[in-house]
Amino acid sequence: MHVEIKSLLYLVVVPLFAYTNISREAVTILSILFAVDFLTAIIRENVTNPQGITSSEMKAGFTSKMVTLMIPFLISIVGKAAGYDLSMLANTTIGVFCLAEFYSINGNIIQIREKDKTVTEYDAITMLLKRLQQLIRGLVESIIEKISNTVKTK
């Protein structure tokens, strides 16, 4: 069964990377950073607040990481559907996510070393997602404006 799952993933993943022009290496690095951040967050919680580790929080954290990993692919696919090549934006997004994950890992390590749970975490990924939403809204408004002007001139 393991071979079948691996074959199925290969049939989906390879064409997905080819279609979206997203860097496999960058996604692999981001995935590793997600895993390290997840692990250091668990260690941090164990050091600063042992009762704070719950399976529901771990599931929510893991799910959040997996959904975040989908975003660059969605950017590229939606761009193709709208007639734009957004693969550069998707790859840039992965790079920013990598920087944000490194920042988070570094913060976790500081908290582990200092046994300090009061250090605030800067959520760069949420900030980037909000900016992406603003960018996409601007694109949609621009397209609607062009369509509206085209219809008015006819």
Short mmCIF file of all heavy atoms in Angstrom, two decimals, residues 25-34 37 68-69 91-105 124-125 128:
data_model
loop_
_atom_site.label_atom_id
_atom_site.label_comp_id
_atom_site.label_asym_id
_atom_site.label_seq_id
_atom_site.Cartn_x
_atom_site.Cartn_y
_atom_site.Cartn_z
N GLU A 25 12.53 22.91 -4.75
CA GLU A 25 13.52 23.10 -3.68
C GLU A 25 13.00 24.07 -2.62
O GLU A 25 13.11 23.81 -1.42
CB GLU A 25 14.84 23.61 -4.26
CG GLU A 25 15.91 23.82 -3.23
CD GLU A 25 17.20 24.36 -3.82
OE1 GLU A 25 17.15 25.09 -4.83
OE2 GLU A 25 18.26 24.04 -3.25
N ALA A 26 12.40 25.16 -3.05
CA ALA A 26 11.88 26.15 -2.11
C ALA A 26 10.75 25.56 -1.27
O ALA A 26 10.68 25.80 -0.05
CB ALA A 26 11.39 27.39 -2.85
N VAL A 27 9.87 24.77 -1.88
CA VAL A 27 8.78 24.14 -1.13
C VAL A 27 9.33 23.12 -0.14
O VAL A 27 8.85 23.02 1.00
CB VAL A 27 7.75 23.50 -2.09
CG1 VAL A 27 6.74 22.65 -1.32
CG2 VAL A 27 7.04 24.57 -2.90
N THR A 28 10.36 22.39 -0.54
CA THR A 28 10.99 21.44 0.38
C THR A 28 11.60 22.17 1.57
O THR A 28 11.41 21.75 2.73
CB THR A 28 12.08 20.62 -0.35
OG1 THR A 28 11.48 19.92 -1.45
CG2 THR A 28 12.77 19.65 0.58
N ILE A 29 12.30 23.25 1.31
CA ILE A 29 12.90 24.03 2.40
C ILE A 29 11.82 24.58 3.31
O ILE A 29 11.92 24.50 4.54
CB ILE A 29 13.78 25.16 1.84
CG1 ILE A 29 15.02 24.57 1.16
CG2 ILE A 29 14.18 26.16 2.93
CD1 ILE A 29 15.81 25.56 0.31
N LEU A 30 10.76 25.13 2.73
CA LEU A 30 9.66 25.66 3.54
C LEU A 30 9.02 24.56 4.38
O LEU A 30 8.72 24.77 5.57
CB LEU A 30 8.60 26.32 2.65
CG LEU A 30 7.39 26.92 3.37
CD1 LEU A 30 7.82 27.99 4.38
CD2 LEU A 30 6.41 27.51 2.35
N SER A 31 8.84 23.38 3.81
CA SER A 31 8.26 22.26 4.56
C SER A 31 9.14 21.87 5.75
O SER A 31 8.64 21.60 6.84
CB SER A 31 8.06 21.05 3.65
OG SER A 31 7.17 21.37 2.61
N ILE A 32 10.45 21.87 5.53
CA ILE A 32 11.38 21.56 6.62
C ILE A 32 11.30 22.63 7.70
O ILE A 32 11.27 22.33 8.90
CB ILE A 32 12.82 21.40 6.08
CG1 ILE A 32 12.92 20.13 5.22
CG2 ILE A 32 13.84 21.38 7.22
CD1 ILE A 32 14.19 20.03 4.40
N LEU A 33 11.24 23.89 7.29
CA LEU A 33 11.12 24.98 8.26
C LEU A 33 9.81 24.89 9.03
O LEU A 33 9.78 25.15 10.24
CB LEU A 33 11.25 26.34 7.56
CG LEU A 33 12.65 26.68 7.05
CD1 LEU A 33 12.61 27.93 6.18
CD2 LEU A 33 13.63 26.86 8.20
N PHE A 34 8.72 24.52 8.36
CA PHE A 34 7.45 24.32 9.06
C PHE A 34 7.61 23.24 10.14
O PHE A 34 7.13 23.41 11.26
CB PHE A 34 6.35 23.89 8.08
CG PHE A 34 5.68 25.01 7.33
CD1 PHE A 34 5.03 24.75 6.14
CD2 PHE A 34 5.67 26.30 7.81
CE1 PHE A 34 4.38 25.76 5.44
CE2 PHE A 34 5.04 27.33 7.12
CZ PHE A 34 4.39 27.05 5.93
N ASP A 37 9.74 24.56 13.01
CA ASP A 37 8.97 25.52 13.79
C ASP A 37 7.96 24.80 14.68
O ASP A 37 7.79 25.13 15.85
CB ASP A 37 8.26 26.51 12.87
CG ASP A 37 7.54 27.61 13.62
OD1 ASP A 37 8.08 28.10 14.64
OD2 ASP A 37 6.44 27.99 13.21
N THR A 68 -1.27 26.95 4.79
CA THR A 68 -0.34 27.98 4.34
C THR A 68 0.50 27.48 3.17
O THR A 68 0.77 28.23 2.23
CB THR A 68 0.57 28.42 5.51
OG1 THR A 68 -0.24 28.91 6.57
CG2 THR A 68 1.55 29.50 5.08
N LEU A 69 0.86 26.21 3.19
CA LEU A 69 1.66 25.64 2.11
C LEU A 69 0.89 25.62 0.78
O LEU A 69 1.49 25.67 -0.29
CB LEU A 69 2.10 24.22 2.49
CG LEU A 69 3.12 23.53 1.62
CD1 LEU A 69 4.41 24.36 1.52
CD2 LEU A 69 3.45 22.16 2.16
N ASN A 91 6.52 32.11 -6.01
CA ASN A 91 7.86 31.76 -5.52
C ASN A 91 8.37 32.80 -4.52
O ASN A 91 9.03 32.45 -3.54
CB ASN A 91 8.83 31.59 -6.69
CG ASN A 91 8.64 30.26 -7.38
OD1 ASN A 91 8.70 29.20 -6.76
ND2 ASN A 91 8.39 30.30 -8.68
N THR A 92 8.06 34.06 -4.75
CA THR A 92 8.44 35.11 -3.81
C THR A 92 7.72 34.89 -2.48
O THR A 92 8.30 35.07 -1.40
CB THR A 92 8.12 36.50 -4.37
OG1 THR A 92 8.83 36.66 -5.60
CG2 THR A 92 8.49 37.60 -3.41
N THR A 93 6.45 34.52 -2.56
CA THR A 93 5.68 34.23 -1.35
C THR A 93 6.33 33.11 -0.54
O THR A 93 6.43 33.20 0.69
CB THR A 93 4.23 33.85 -1.73
OG1 THR A 93 3.65 34.92 -2.46
CG2 THR A 93 3.40 33.54 -0.51
N ILE A 94 6.79 32.09 -1.22
CA ILE A 94 7.47 30.98 -0.52
C ILE A 94 8.72 31.51 0.18
O ILE A 94 8.99 31.15 1.34
CB ILE A 94 7.83 29.84 -1.50
CG1 ILE A 94 6.56 29.18 -2.01
CG2 ILE A 94 8.73 28.81 -0.82
CD1 ILE A 94 6.78 28.22 -3.15
N GLY A 95 9.48 32.36 -0.49
CA GLY A 95 10.67 32.94 0.13
C GLY A 95 10.35 33.75 1.37
O GLY A 95 11.03 33.63 2.40
N VAL A 96 9.29 34.54 1.31
CA VAL A 96 8.89 35.33 2.47
C VAL A 96 8.40 34.41 3.58
O VAL A 96 8.71 34.63 4.76
CB VAL A 96 7.82 36.38 2.08
CG1 VAL A 96 7.27 37.09 3.31
CG2 VAL A 96 8.40 37.38 1.10
N PHE A 97 7.65 33.36 3.22
CA PHE A 97 7.22 32.39 4.23
C PHE A 97 8.43 31.75 4.91
O PHE A 97 8.41 31.52 6.13
CB PHE A 97 6.35 31.31 3.60
CG PHE A 97 4.94 31.71 3.28
CD1 PHE A 97 4.11 30.85 2.60
CD2 PHE A 97 4.43 32.95 3.65
CE1 PHE A 97 2.80 31.19 2.29
CE2 PHE A 97 3.12 33.31 3.35
CZ PHE A 97 2.31 32.42 2.68
N CYS A 98 9.47 31.44 4.14
CA CYS A 98 10.69 30.86 4.73
C CYS A 98 11.31 31.82 5.74
O CYS A 98 11.71 31.40 6.84
CB CYS A 98 11.70 30.50 3.63
SG CYS A 98 11.28 29.05 2.66
N LEU A 99 11.41 33.08 5.37
CA LEU A 99 11.95 34.08 6.31
C LEU A 99 11.09 34.18 7.56
O LEU A 99 11.60 34.24 8.68
CB LEU A 99 12.05 35.45 5.63
CG LEU A 99 13.13 35.59 4.56
CD1 LEU A 99 12.97 36.90 3.81
CD2 LEU A 99 14.51 35.50 5.18
N ALA A 100 9.77 34.17 7.39
CA ALA A 100 8.86 34.25 8.53
C ALA A 100 9.00 33.03 9.43
O ALA A 100 8.99 33.16 10.67
CB ALA A 100 7.43 34.39 8.04
N GLU A 101 9.15 31.87 8.84
CA GLU A 101 9.32 30.65 9.64
C GLU A 101 10.65 30.68 10.40
O GLU A 101 10.71 30.28 11.56
CB GLU A 101 9.23 29.40 8.76
CG GLU A 101 7.83 29.05 8.36
CD GLU A 101 6.90 28.84 9.55
OE1 GLU A 101 7.20 27.99 10.42
OE2 GLU A 101 5.86 29.52 9.61
N PHE A 102 11.69 31.17 9.75
CA PHE A 102 12.98 31.28 10.44
C PHE A 102 12.86 32.23 11.63
O PHE A 102 13.37 31.97 12.70
CB PHE A 102 14.09 31.75 9.50
CG PHE A 102 15.39 31.97 10.21
CD1 PHE A 102 16.12 30.89 10.69
CD2 PHE A 102 15.88 33.25 10.43
CE1 PHE A 102 17.31 31.09 11.37
CE2 PHE A 102 17.06 33.45 11.11
CZ PHE A 102 17.78 32.37 11.58
N TYR A 103 12.15 33.33 11.42
CA TYR A 103 11.93 34.30 12.50
C TYR A 103 11.20 33.64 13.66
O TYR A 103 11.55 33.81 14.83
CB TYR A 103 11.13 35.49 11.97
CG TYR A 103 10.95 36.59 12.98
CD1 TYR A 103 11.89 37.61 13.10
CD2 TYR A 103 9.84 36.61 13.81
CE1 TYR A 103 11.72 38.62 14.04
CE2 TYR A 103 9.67 37.62 14.74
CZ TYR A 103 10.61 38.62 14.85
OH TYR A 103 10.45 39.61 15.77
N SER A 104 10.18 32.85 13.35
CA SER A 104 9.41 32.15 14.37
C SER A 104 10.26 31.11 15.11
O SER A 104 10.19 31.01 16.33
CB SER A 104 8.19 31.48 13.74
OG SER A 104 7.43 30.79 14.71
N ILE A 105 11.06 30.36 14.36
CA ILE A 105 11.94 29.37 14.97
C ILE A 105 12.92 30.05 15.90
O ILE A 105 13.15 29.61 17.04
CB ILE A 105 12.70 28.56 13.88
CG1 ILE A 105 11.73 27.69 13.10
CG2 ILE A 105 13.82 27.73 14.49
CD1 ILE A 105 12.30 27.15 11.79
N ALA A 124 4.54 37.24 10.73
CA ALA A 124 4.83 37.75 9.40
C ALA A 124 3.98 37.07 8.33
O ALA A 124 3.62 37.69 7.33
CB ALA A 124 6.31 37.58 9.09
N ILE A 125 3.64 35.82 8.54
CA ILE A 125 2.85 35.11 7.54
C ILE A 125 1.45 35.72 7.44
O ILE A 125 0.95 35.95 6.34
CB ILE A 125 2.80 33.59 7.84
CG1 ILE A 125 4.18 32.99 7.55
CG2 ILE A 125 1.72 32.91 7.02
CD1 ILE A 125 4.29 31.51 7.68
N LEU A 128 1.73 38.96 5.58
CA LEU A 128 1.89 38.72 4.14
C LEU A 128 0.57 38.30 3.51
O LEU A 128 0.22 38.76 2.42
CB LEU A 128 2.96 37.66 3.88
CG LEU A 128 3.14 37.26 2.42
CD1 LEU A 128 3.63 38.44 1.60
CD2 LEU A 128 4.08 36.08 2.30
#
